[in-house]
Amino acid sequence: APFKLRNMELKNRIVMSPMAQYKAVDGNPTDWHLIHYAERAKGGAGLIYTEMTCVSPEGRITPGCPGLYTPEQETAWTRLADFIHAETTAKFCMQIGHAGRKASTCVPWQGGMDRPLPSGNWEILAPSALRYKPDSVMPKAMTRADMDMVRAQFVAATEMAARVGADMIELHAAHGYLIGSFISPITNRRADDY
């Protein structure tokens, strides 16, 4: 049966959940992503979700995570969205997020899930300086300037997703990533307004 969400109407209630692929190169979706998403759209799903697409290089879970922060990424996502819209009746949702204290880890099959990179780690931001796991990289407790920067990254990624042709945008606030870490009293030990 069809389903309507505001002005977006889905031909059916079959939704492909976000599935991390870890196949991006420098944050760019590749032909892997084109085939992964387009095949499911061709298969008849009413709505296709992207995996979490990161708002900055530092917001990636792994080096294999896609992003929405460069013109090249915008071009690659536009190619994918255009194909889905031209060849199928599926709608396309961009899930955007920031990994927070779970960032800078190995691609699962190259070191294990949630394991820090053996080298080349980037600075991790979180509400509080609490490691995700005992062997995780220690995150930096965000300053107000960091919050402003990340908010601007989310705005820019949202605007880019709209230009790409996303029919819907979802803000990822689960799995202990940045937004979820601010919401939880377990991971947010701040004494300020945030």
Side-chain angles (χ1 to χ4, degrees):
F3 182 77
K4 189 167 185 179
L5 182 63
R6 293 188 183 166
N7 295 328
M8 183 177 70
E9 186 162 339
L10 305 180
K11 70 174 182 175
N12 60 51
R13 296 165 190 241
I14 299 170
V15 176
M16 184 189 94
S17 298
M19 294 182 275
Q21 298 296 297
Y22 304 115
K23 291 287 196 174
V25 176
D26 296 325
N28 292 296
T30 65
D31 286 346
W32 175 279
H33 297 87
L34 177 67
I35 291 167
H36 171 69
Y37 295 116
E39 281 300 317
R40 276 125 192 110
K42 286 171 47 189
L47 179 63
I48 303 296
Y49 269 80
T50 66
E51 63 203 279
M52 183 172 84
T53 304
C54 304
V55 300
S56 68
E58 299 77 23
R60 294 174 299 157
I61 310 160
T62 76
C65 292
L68 271 174
Y69 49 85
T70 70
E72 295 78 19
Q73 292 160 1
E74 183 174 346
T75 298
W77 283 117
T78 299
R79 174 182 176 231
L80 199 151
D82 286 351
F83 180 89
I84 289 173
H85 290 138
E87 300 296 336
T88 78
T89 57
K91 301 297 182 187
F92 184 65
C93 177
M94 300 270 337
Q95 183 189 69
I96 62 171
H98 187 295
R101 70 191 196 123
K102 293 177 75 176
S104 193
T105 60
C106 295
V107 171
W109 55 88
Q110 293 178 337
M113 188 71 131
D114 297 326
R115 305 275 309 160
L117 293 168
S119 64
N121 284 282
W122 50 86
E123 182 178 57
I124 300 173
L125 298 175
S128 303
L130 297 170
R131 294 178 197 272
Y132 175 63
K133 293 172 68 175
D135 64 343
S136 295
V137 175
M138 179 64 77
K140 173 191 174 196
M142 293 175 75
T143 64
R144 181 58 218 225
D146 294 327
M147 291 180 213
D148 290 343
M149 175 190 68
V150 171
R151 181 184 62 205
Q153 292 168 343
F154 270 95
V155 169
T158 300
E159 291 169 345
M160 190 177 288
R163 290 193 304 271
V164 160
D167 299 294
M168 179 176 154
I169 299 167
E170 181 186 71
L171 185 63
H172 197 331
H175 302 332
Y177 298 141
L178 186 63
I179 294 171
S181 292
F182 266 99
I183 294 168
S184 172
I186 295 169
T187 50
N188 184 341
R189 309 268 177 90
R190 302 180 71 92
D192 62 7
D193 290 341
Y194 305 98

